[in-house]
Amino acid sequence: MQVLAFNGSPRKEWNTATLLKKALEGAESQASETELIHLYDLDYKGCHSCYSCKLKGGKSFGKCAVIDGLTPVLGKVIEADALIIGFPIYMGAVAGMAQSFLERLVYPLWDSENMGTLLKKRIPTGLICTMGAPVSRMKEMGLDGRVRTVEMMTGMAFGAVESIIVTDTYQYDDYSKYAHQPFVNPEEKAERHRTVFPQECEKAFEMGARLAASASEA
Ligand SMILES: Cc1cc2nc3c(=O)[nH]c(=O)nc-3n(C[C@H](O)[C@H](O)[C@H](O)COP(=O)(O)O)c2cc1C
């Protein structure tokens, strides 16, 4: 069984990547082979709006026709048994590289005429979203709604999706060196990172294990 994870953060050792690695450890606990792909290592753009993936009878129907650094990865996804996609929130939205990845991955798979999927198999998918905002601000800004939208769209393509939202993340190695909003309390952030973040990692581990187990039943 192959479980693929995608890191939509440019940082390879921070919140999103750490959670993804934990999720993959969970998948490995269910005897899966795993791979973590850092999207920032790939040279690609978002959807070109060519609509080749929707052209009836066209050779790219149901597939992204754009050829670039993402193309081999999109091929691997279709072979995978489960997926885990991690992304931070940037500027109140899914961070750009992850959004571009989702456009190229998910949109071609929609069966637009039947409001379903063109995929012949179900690929259990997990989403991990991280953000600096605490829960209260996430709700004020409707950021959880962004994640629900990705969940709905990804679920339509892959058949099964679940998500973890990790709020109030620790952003800098030393808050005294960086400009930050006045309502951010570095001590509280550090404490949360020390006590709550490990619990979020545990949830990620459990999600990875669940996805792998559900993939093996499919
Ligand atoms: C360019 C940029 C924009 C950001 N915008 C937001 C935002 O709108 N809302 C928010 O809650 N956090 C925002 N953040 C914080 C990140 O979402 C947060 O630190 C996230 O956990 C980063 O993931 P990483 O540690 O894996 O890189 C932003 C960070 C960057 C670099």
Side-chain angles (χ1 to χ4, degrees), residues 151-173:
E151 211 176 61
M152 195 251 295
M153 296 190 165
T154 309
M156 213 196 294
F158 295 115
V161 66
E162 61 174 290
S163 58
I164 294 176
I165 300 179
V166 176
T167 56
D168 211 351
T169 55
Y170 201 61
Q171 277 175 270
Y172 314 117
D173 53 0

Side-chain angles (χ1 to χ4, degrees), residues 7 9-11 14-17 88-93 130-133 141 143 169-171:
N7 178 21
S9 166
R11 306 198 290 182
W14 278 74
N15 299 285
T16 315
I89 293 290
Y90 281 180
M91 309 283 293
T130 71
M131 64 185 79
M141 306 271 297
L143 300 176
T169 55
Y170 201 61
Q171 277 175 270

Side-chain angles (χ1 to χ4, degrees), residues 59-170:
K59 69 176 171 32
S60 294
F61 185 75
K63 290 188 293 203
C64 182
V66 177
I67 305 294
D68 63 11
L70 196 58
T71 308
V73 170
L74 295 177
K76 272 184 163 185
V77 168
I78 307 307
E79 301 299 317
D81 299 297
L83 306 173
I84 306 168
I85 303 171
F87 54 89
I89 293 290
Y90 281 180
M91 309 283 293
V94 176
M97 291 293 275
Q99 179 66 24
S100 294
F101 169 64
L102 290 167
E103 290 165 9
R104 300 269 305 277
L105 174 68
V106 174
Y107 188 71
L109 293 173
W110 286 348
D111 180 349
S112 308
E113 288 175 318
N114 299 302
M115 297 299 289
T117 182
L118 295 171
L119 259 190
K120 299 282 180 271
K121 63 174 189 179
R122 178 178 152 277
I123 308 182
T125 298
L127 305 174
I128 296 177
C129 172
T130 71
M131 64 185 79
V135 170
S136 55
R137 194 152 173 80
M138 170 185 81
K139 291 198 181 323
E140 262 166 44
M141 306 271 297
L143 300 176
D144 47 343
R146 306 267 175 192
V147 182
R148 297 295 159 238
T149 303
V150 178
E151 211 176 61
M152 195 251 295
M153 296 190 165
T154 309
M156 213 196 294
F158 295 115
V161 66
E162 61 174 290
S163 58
I164 294 176
I165 300 179
V166 176
T167 56
D168 211 351
T169 55
Y170 201 61

Side-chain angles (χ1 to χ4, degrees), residues 11 24 193 204:
R11 306 198 290 182
L24 290 184
H193 189 65

Side-chain angles (χ1 to χ4, degrees), residues 3 20 22-30 32 82 84 128 162 164 202-214:
V3 180
L20 285 168
K22 287 289 170 195
L24 290 184
E25 282 175 25
E28 285 157 14
S29 75
Q30 302 297 308
S32 294
I84 306 168
I128 296 177
E162 61 174 290
I164 294 176
E202 190 53 37
K203 285 186 206 159
F205 181 97
E206 285 161 11
M207 183 173 79
R210 239 182 350 262
L211 288 168
S214 122

